Amino acid sequence: MIGRFFRRAQERRRTIRTLHQRIGEAARRPDLYEAMGVPDTVEGRFEALSLHVILVLRRLGHLPPPADEVAQGLIDSVFVQLDESLRELGVGDMGVSKRIKKLGASFYARAGAYGTALDAGDAPGLAAALARNVLARDEAEAADALAGYVRTSADALGSQDLDALLAQGPRFAAPFAAPFATHRGTPQEA
């Protein structure tokens, strides 16, 4: 698989597109929104996508080359999609550029915060970062459940080599049940 990744540009793009699509599917699982309390809003969906991309990038960062090229291709693919989405929403050229810069800064700040907490085994720190960024509220039970999902997903991804990651897609945990349901984008206690 890895050898094929470099043979032709078209195959590289298809491989990255498939990886991006699989991550997007995981980030859109209804359980994340219904059971885990991620707000079902544009911002909540961006946060869920970012979280899953960050987890995959973190794994790719621990793998030998050409994982670094896969990671860069994934980042490029994600930000091209964000650019296209903003344009579809009617944002003009000047506005798209400013928003992409802001989204990029947010993305990398989150990658740093989540990665630092995961590397240190800092469950409370991870839960606090997720509550602040993904859940946009301070609800300890929901944040702890989401942090558990993230830790379990990071462990599952940690068992995949590059071939498996590209061929089978990234392995993420099943969302844990939490006593929350979303209603009009705002999590409510069930």
Side-chain angles (χ1 to χ4, degrees), residues 86-130:
L86 289 171
R87 291 176 192 282
E88 286 175 10
L89 291 172
V91 178
D93 288 340
M94 297 273 287
V96 167
S97 177
K98 289 178 184 178
R99 288 188 185 186
I100 288 293
K101 285 180 184 177
K102 186 176 179 179
L103 289 172
S106 295
F107 177 85
Y108 285 108
R110 283 153 175 71
Y114 304 155
T116 298
L118 283 166
D119 290 342
D122 181 6
L126 180 60
L130 292 168

Side-chain angles (χ1 to χ4, degrees), residues 37-92:
V38 175
D40 192 7
T41 62
V42 171
E43 293 82 8
R45 288 180 180 259
F46 168 76
E47 294 296 344
L49 176 65
S50 294
L51 176 60
H52 287 81
V53 170
I54 289 165
L55 286 168
V56 171
L57 290 174
R58 185 172 180 276
R59 177 59 185 147
L60 289 170
H62 289 95
L63 294 172
D68 55 340
E69 292 186 35
V70 173
Q72 186 59 56
L74 178 59
I75 290 169
D76 294 346
S77 179
V78 167
F79 280 92
V80 164
Q81 179 195 25
L82 290 172
D83 182 283
E84 291 170 355
S85 295
L86 289 171
R87 291 176 192 282
E88 286 175 10
L89 291 172
V91 178

Side-chain angles (χ1 to χ4, degrees), residues 24-38:
E25 289 167 357
R28 289 188 304 271
R29 291 191 316 216
D31 287 355
L32 287 170
Y33 304 91
E34 295 167 0
M36 302 292 300
V38 175

